[in-house]
Structure formats: C-alpha cells, structure tokens
Amino acid sequence: MTPTLQKRLQDSFIEIIRKTSAELPQDVIDAVVEGLEREAKESRGEYALKIIQKNIELAKKKSQPLCQDTGSILFYIHYPRKLDGELLGKIVRKSVVAATKKGYLRQNSVDSLTGQNNGTNVGPGTPTLHLEPWKKDHIEVKLMLKGGGCENVGAQYSLPDSRIGAGRDLNGVKKCILDAVQQAQGKGCGPGVLGVIVGGDRATGYLASKEQFLRRMRDRNPNPGLAKLEEECLVEANQLGIGPMGFGGKTTLMGVKIGALNRLPASFFVSVSYMCWAYRRQGAKVSVRGEIQKWLY
C-alpha cells in the first residue's frame, strides 16, 4: 500500500468519523420527527424532543459533535483480500487520533486502572475494530459512536428468570426487553433504540446486539416471529409513559431490532443493548484508491 493510498484512506476515514459524529442519518431524524408529532402539545415530552431536534440541526450546521460524549468508537470494516488488514487497522487508528485533534471526537478514552487520558482515543480496546476480508473489490466501512449513558443501561438476562416471570420462549424474551426499558427510565438519554439478541453466549450476545444497530430504522425483520416481536415491544414500551429523557410521554423508544444466535441447551441468554437518541451510525463505500464513493445511510 503506497504512502499516497494510505493518506487517501486516512482522509476518507476522518471524514466518515466527522460525519458520524456531527450528522444523524436521515432515517433516525425521521424517527425523531415522528416522535415529536406523537407527543402532546406543550408537554414535557414535546419540549424534550424539540430540544433534541434543535441540537441535531445545530450539530450538522456547525459540523460539531452531537453530544459531548462521542462514545465508544466501533468500526465494522470489510476489505478486499489483496489489502493488508493489519496496515488498514493502523490507518484507522491514525484517523481516530487525527479526528480527535480536529475536535470531531472528544478525548473520551481513559486508562481503566489509573484514570489517565492520553488525549488520543487510542489505547487497549479503543477503538474497537471488526476487520473482515471479502471478495468484493471495495472497502465497506461502518462506524458507530455509542455513548456511555446508553451503554450503562444495557442488560443481559438468563432464562428462565423468576424475578420477572420470563420463561424460555419469545414471550419471556419480550418480558426481558420491557423490563430493560423500565429499568433504564430516562437514564439512557431516550427516546432510544434497542438492539437485542436471543441466544449466543454472554460475550457473543452483547457483540451481536450492537450489530443490530447497523440496521435501518424502517427495515422489517426477515423472520416473521421476530418481526412481530419487534413491533409488539415497540408499541408496549411506548405505553409505559417514560417518554423522552424520562420526562413522560408517548415516545420512549424509536425502534427495536432483534436477532438470534444459536445457543447451548443449558443456556438461554437475552442480551439488550440500548442506543440513545444520538443514534450515531454511518457507513461508506470506499474505493481501493481510497476515495469515498457512496454513503450507506
């Protein structure tokens, strides 16, 4: 990989970071607007969503982060087999450092033992890189910035769970999802979106639950049972009255995305990841020359 190509790739990655941090995808903006129209006039829920809407507009106009917490940095990258994946990872890390210096990312990554912050957003586990080779002749980059507030209210259940009366079936899964929403209240910076995985182990369940956020807001689950469960959980969660930022109202969630993994007979986990209203995920098709060809969201 020539120095020129490395520089082009780095510039493209920096732009992907900037756009993800400052501009919500249109499908997320549409969901916020739908929530605003749902709330009662002059209610606290409507007020909260108007503030959120204004924040979205200002961040895009000024090309500044939507939130002071630019969150965990999660890259999902597919690249042609002829490229050096290890070198590509190094370029991504350099891009994160450069984007942090430009102010597109806050200095958010600290040493867990000492609390020290090196100011680069690069360190053990940061950023999180999922790099996979494929047979296509272009690079696909998807980026998610997931804030700490919503990360803190994620939950994992092991079924059966007598505490909430949840058995090992989809009705039990629904009880887990609604319990997670009830426990989160306004602490996850709602209205939120849930990514849920039925099955897997404790690690793969959480990992795959975050990957559900790479789906579009209006898509339909190809599995009829999960599609029905997604819709039911969204409707019932919005009847809890928690509302935007926990202020009360009809828009507690904007979406629910559910997937499933195989599991061991002895285990039945339900892993719930929560995404705040600042649903920052973007992606781009990048040519092998390092140029952004198409935005994915």
Side-chain angles (χ1 to χ4, degrees):
M1 197 181 297
T2 67
T4 299
L5 176 54
Q6 293 182 47
K7 179 62 166 58
R8 285 177 182 166
L9 284 170
Q10 181 172 319
D11 289 344
S12 291
F13 293 155
I14 291 171
E15 175 58 13
I16 292 170
I17 294 170
R18 182 205 67 77
K19 191 173 181 68
T20 307
S21 179
E23 302 178 18
L24 284 189
Q26 189 59 49
D27 62 325
V28 179
I29 295 174
D30 291 344
V32 171
V33 172
E34 289 173 8
L36 179 58
E37 293 173 347
R38 189 182 303 123
E39 296 299 331
K41 299 301 180 183
E42 298 184 1
S43 66
R44 289 183 295 177
E46 182 194 47
Y47 174 76
L49 282 171
K50 282 185 175 180
I51 294 296
I52 288 171
Q53 188 180 43
K54 186 66 174 178
N55 190 75
I56 292 170
E57 294 170 355
L58 286 174
K60 181 176 181 178
K61 181 179 179 180
K62 296 184 177 183
S63 194
Q64 293 180 348
L66 277 156
C67 177
Q68 64 180 358
D69 177 9
T70 48
S72 299
I73 306 164
L74 298 97
F75 279 96
Y76 301 84
I77 300 175
H78 288 85
Y79 63 93
R81 296 181 185 278
K82 63 183 178 181
L83 294 182
D84 184 336
E86 184 177 358
L87 179 56
L88 193 61
K90 291 180 180 179
I91 295 171
V92 172
R93 292 183 181 91
K94 288 182 180 179
S95 303
V96 168
V97 173
T100 303
K101 288 182 179 179
K102 290 176 177 290
Y104 302 152
L105 297 171
R106 307 294 191 192
Q107 298 175 0
N108 250 15
S109 178
V110 301
D111 185 294
S112 293
L113 302 181
T114 66
Q116 292 182 344
N117 188 333
N118 67 13
T120 68
N121 273 318
V122 172
T126 305
T128 300
L129 303 182
H130 301 279
L131 291 160
E132 293 187 31
W134 64 359
K135 294 181 180 179
K136 298 181 182 180
D137 63 355
H138 67 273
I139 304 168
E140 181 187 83
V141 182
K142 292 183 178 180
L143 172 61
M144 186 188 312
L145 300 177
K146 191 172 188 302
C150 62
E151 182 72 2
N152 289 344
V153 295
Q156 191 172 69
Y157 299 80
S158 179
L159 299 184
D161 188 331
S162 59
R163 181 183 61 86
I164 58 174
R168 288 185 161 197
D169 52 26
L170 289 186
N171 187 54
V173 172
K174 181 198 287 189
K175 290 181 178 180
C176 293
I177 293 170
L178 295 178
D179 181 71
V181 176
Q182 187 69 56
Q183 297 303 317
Q185 292 293 310
K187 293 180 287 187
C189 295
V193 178
L194 299 187
V196 182
I197 287 294
V198 181
D201 60 29
R202 289 192 181 276
T204 59
Y206 266 136
L207 177 64
S209 69
K210 291 182 180 180
E211 292 175 354
Q212 290 294 307
F213 295 132
L214 299 176
R215 293 169 54 187
R216 291 182 179 275
M217 292 292 290
R218 292 184 180 276
D219 73 358
R220 291 281 296 175
N221 198 307
N223 181 295
L226 294 183
K228 182 173 182 288
L229 184 61
E230 288 177 346
E231 180 61 27
E232 288 176 353
C233 288
L234 179 60
V235 170
E236 293 182 32
N238 284 335
Q239 293 173 346
L240 294 175
I242 297 169
M245 305 301 280
F247 290 163
K250 302 176 182 179
T251 315
T252 299
L253 294 181
M254 296 186 294
V256 180
K257 305 297 180 182
I258 306 174
L261 298 176
N262 279 15
R263 60 180 176 83
L264 293 173
S267 301
F268 196 122
F269 295 112
V270 178
S271 305
V272 182
S273 286
Y274 191 107
M275 177 66 79
C276 62
W277 67 263
Y279 185 174
R280 293 160 292 182
R281 58 107 163 91
Q282 188 49 268
K285 177 181 178 181
V286 180
S287 74
V288 291
R289 297 184 301 276
E291 301 160 344
I292 294 175
Q293 295 180 314
K294 177 183 178 182
W295 292 104
L296 302 181
Y297 297 101

